[in-house]
Amino acid sequence: MSTQNNKLSREGFNDWKHASDRLYDHEISKTHLESVMSLVHRGKVTGRIDQELAMQELQQIEYWRKILRIIVSTIKFIAERGLAFRGDNEIVGSPRNGNFLGILELLAEYEPILATHLKEHANKGSGHVNYLSSTICEELIRCMGDKILTEIVSRIKKSKYYSVSVDSTPDESHIDQLTIVVRYMEGSTPKERFLTFLPNCGHTGEATANALLKFLGDHQIDIMDCRGQSYDNAANMSGKYRGMQALILEKNHLSAFVPCCGHSLNLVGKAAANSCPSAVQFFDFMQDLYTFFTASTERYQILIEKLSKKKSGQFYMLKKLSDTRWSCRAEATKAIVEGYSEIEEALTSISS
């Protein structure tokens, strides 16, 4: 493309000792830049020998981008609502292939490009690119999660000061996980964000504190900017000497510890009620009432029939009491108060 003679374009270059400097000078030279512009211009000229190949390449790029947009939107839809992705199999057309493939099949009824994609690329087995497998799905979820975490971390750094809340609990697969939540300011508005689950690191205050410090360090979040920490009332978290809060205070004396108000209130309510025999007897009766009706489908149906006859048309079902969430007792009590007469009629009907 060059219109001038120089060693790099015509004669040949062999000054390897100074190659780095010579190449840099050449890349910013007027001759090189004009040649690049000439190449770009010729690449746009209609009638190129590889024009059809170039068009096919652009069409393929646009095709896969459209497919990926649909797949990413479907993953976002399912993830935001906390729904399960997989079913019993990964076969397109099967009624048991889960929400992910099922939603794609539904969209294909109204999106021709997706319908064509499923017809030509689905159910081909491993080694065939189609972006429909669970492996790709999990990889896209991981990419989205990393992007969201990066965005939240950048906002925390911009806000500078933050507080942290940590708790651990086993999930449905009985794997203990440490949950990290941060609270910070965006302008004059407080924001609370979930950051991550960490695998079980032990239940001692030192283990959980080290896990938190390592996570913050890995994401360049300065522990010295922490201005608050809140945990439950367990000794390993709230202990005065070896609890997690004490160990974090050793690192940063400005990270004030505030016991979790919700957890404290729950304990107070539970302890207060347990100190009153009448309250204990009352809640035992509520639990027995729930167990009585739900243990039999026939009895449960009688209760529903009686409650559904309320003039207001709205009724509350009996609730099961929870050992950890004290507020559920208010909901259970409301169900009895609102449907007292109907529950009594149901019991009388069953008795007779």
Side-chain angles (χ1 to χ4, degrees):
M1 299 297 171
S2 177
T3 58
Q4 300 179 12
N5 288 329
N6 61 62
K7 291 185 176 181
L8 279 168
S9 63
R10 300 288 174 86
E11 300 173 12
F13 180 83
N14 61 3
D15 186 10
W16 305 114
K17 184 177 180 180
H18 304 97
S20 179
D21 295 334
R22 298 292 179 269
L23 288 173
Y24 176 76
D25 293 339
H26 174 74
E27 286 178 349
I28 62 175
S29 68
K30 183 179 179 180
T31 302
H32 177 72
L33 296 176
E34 287 178 348
S35 299
V36 170
M37 293 301 296
S38 177
L39 177 63
V40 172
H41 177 70
R42 290 184 63 173
K44 293 181 179 179
V45 175
T46 305
R48 285 171 45 180
I49 191 172
D50 63 342
Q51 183 183 9
E52 291 190 10
L53 288 174
M55 289 298 296
Q56 288 179 15
E57 182 183 9
L58 291 174
Q59 289 171 359
Q60 283 291 308
I61 291 172
E62 186 60 27
Y63 170 82
W64 286 107
R65 282 179 175 172
K66 286 181 179 179
I67 294 300
L68 274 174
R69 286 192 192 102
I70 296 172
I71 290 174
V72 168
S73 296
T74 303
I75 291 174
K76 285 167 59 181
F77 175 85
I78 297 174
E80 284 176 350
R81 287 155 180 79
L83 303 175
F85 278 79
R86 302 188 198 175
D88 294 334
N89 57 59
E90 295 183 30
I91 302 172
V92 173
S94 169
R96 304 176 67 85
N97 56 15
N99 290 324
F100 175 61
L101 293 178
I103 291 174
L104 289 178
E105 290 177 20
L106 176 63
L107 293 175
E109 295 182 12
Y110 307 96
E111 185 61 60
I113 187 173
L114 182 59
T116 303
H117 182 76
L118 294 180
K119 183 178 179 180
E120 295 181 355
H121 297 280
N123 302 334
K124 299 290 186 180
S126 60
H128 185 85
V129 179
N130 55 24
Y131 294 110
L132 301 174
S133 69
S134 58
T135 304
I136 290 294
C137 187
E138 289 179 358
E139 186 174 343
L140 289 172
I141 293 171
R142 189 163 52 250
C143 290
M144 292 179 192
D146 292 341
K147 184 70 175 176
I148 292 172
L149 179 58
T150 301
E151 176 64 23
I152 295 174
V153 168
S154 69
R155 295 188 183 190
I156 295 172
K157 292 178 181 178
K158 183 178 180 181
S159 175
K160 187 172 175 64
Y161 300 114
Y162 64 93
S163 60
V164 64
S165 179
V166 177
D167 195 13
S168 66
T169 185
D171 60 14
E172 290 193 357
S173 59
H174 306 290
I175 297 175
D176 202 25
Q177 297 186 104
L178 197 67
T179 309
I180 298 179
V181 177
V182 293
R183 192 174 176 88
Y184 60 96
M185 298 294 293
E186 287 187 1
S188 59
T189 307
K191 298 289 184 180
E192 188 170 287
R193 304 289 187 199
F194 162 78
L195 285 183
T196 188
F197 289 120
L198 295 179
N200 183 13
C201 56
H203 292 283
T204 65
E206 183 178 4
T208 51
N210 289 338
L212 174 63
L213 292 172
K214 183 179 185 304
F215 175 81
L216 296 177
D218 291 343
H219 294 85
Q220 290 83 48
I221 300 175
D222 193 350
I223 187 61
M224 300 308 294
D225 292 331
C226 180
R227 290 297 179 267
Q229 43 178 333
S230 181
Y231 319 118
D232 60 28
N233 294 283
N236 64 326
M237 305 298 283
S238 303
K240 185 176 181 181
Y241 300 106
R242 300 305 301 167
M244 181 177 178
Q245 64 92 13
L247 298 175
I248 297 296
L249 277 172
E250 290 179 3
K251 298 286 184 180
N252 177 9
H253 69 282
L254 297 175
S255 57
F257 170 64
V258 180
C260 174
C261 296
H263 191 265
S264 300
L265 183 61
N266 190 67
L267 292 176
V268 169
K270 187 174 182 179
N274 287 341
S275 66
C276 175
S278 298
V280 173
Q281 186 177 7
F282 170 70
F283 288 121
D284 285 345
F285 165 73
M286 288 175 60
Q287 182 63 32
D288 291 342
L289 196 62
Y290 170 84
T291 303
F292 175 76
F293 280 108
T294 57
S296 165
T297 55
E298 186 177 352
R299 284 182 293 214
Y300 195 72
Q301 186 61 37
I302 293 174
L303 176 63
I304 292 176
E305 290 175 358
K306 297 295 183 182
L307 290 173
S308 60
K309 292 179 181 179
K310 288 179 67 69
K311 293 181 180 179
S312 63
Q314 182 181 9
F315 61 89
Y316 300 90
M317 290 303 300
L318 295 176
K319 305 290 185 182
K320 181 181 179 181
L321 303 186
S322 171
D323 292 331
T324 56
R325 192 168 61 90
W326 179 256
S327 59
C328 74
R329 284 165 169 74
E331 299 168 6
T333 304
K334 185 176 183 179
I336 292 181
V337 171
E338 295 289 338
Y340 186 89
S341 300
E342 289 76 14
I343 294 173
E344 186 178 24
E345 289 178 13
L347 289 171
T348 303
S349 175
I350 293 170
S351 175
S352 60

